[in-house]
Amino acid sequence: MTTNSHTVRLFTMPQQFPCGPRSSCCGPVGQSEEEIRELTDTIEKDIGCPVEIVNVTEYDKAVKHPGVVRLLQSFGPAALPIITIDEDVVSMGNATAQEAVAAIREAMAQQ
């Protein structure tokens, strides 16, 4: 399925360890470069359209997407990564690359 009429965005933040890398109270927040690359590569290959990566810690970029900002305000960084097609949210949370592709295909079929 190839389409260039849609914009797929991946909202993410660089992985951080708020309590330190070996802390037992909480795990990492955000996504590793490897996780982001795997999602991006799989979506681009299987869906056939480019993926725009938006780092939500860059306020001037994130604020252009009020629906995503509202999700982050409600759920915090656990909602990441958030995937949108155009401005419609199709996935949030830690989806595998194949789950993300399935969600994108389903959303595109409904449009």
Side-chain angles (χ1 to χ4, degrees):
M1 171 183 226
T2 302
T3 180
N4 289 322
S5 63
H6 296 286
T7 302
V8 175
R9 288 186 184 90
L10 175 62
F11 294 85
T12 186
M13 66 183 277
Q15 192 171 56
Q16 302 170 9
F17 296 88
C19 297
R22 296 194 177 149
S23 174
S24 62
C25 65
C26 63
V29 176
Q31 290 69 47
S32 69
E33 288 182 26
E34 181 180 280
E35 290 171 309
I36 295 167
R37 188 174 28 259
E38 180 185 358
L39 272 173
T40 302
D41 291 349
T42 303
I43 292 167
E44 287 177 345
K45 178 183 168 217
D46 291 0
I47 300 297
C49 61
V51 176
E52 178 185 334
I53 298 171
V54 180
N55 180 346
V56 298
T57 62
E58 296 175 7
Y59 179 79
D60 58 322
K61 293 180 183 177
V63 76
K64 295 177 185 175
H65 307 280
V68 171
V69 171
R70 282 191 297 275
L71 286 172
L72 288 170
Q73 289 171 336
S74 296
F75 297 102
L80 297 172
I82 297 172
I83 301 171
T84 65
I85 298 175
D86 302 320
E87 294 301 319
D88 297 327
V89 174
V90 298
S91 175
M92 67 182 237
N94 240 352
T96 67
Q98 291 306 317
E99 290 170 334
V101 166
I104 293 167
R105 283 192 175 141
E106 184 178 331
M108 286 181 166
Q110 293 177 4
Q111 291 182 345

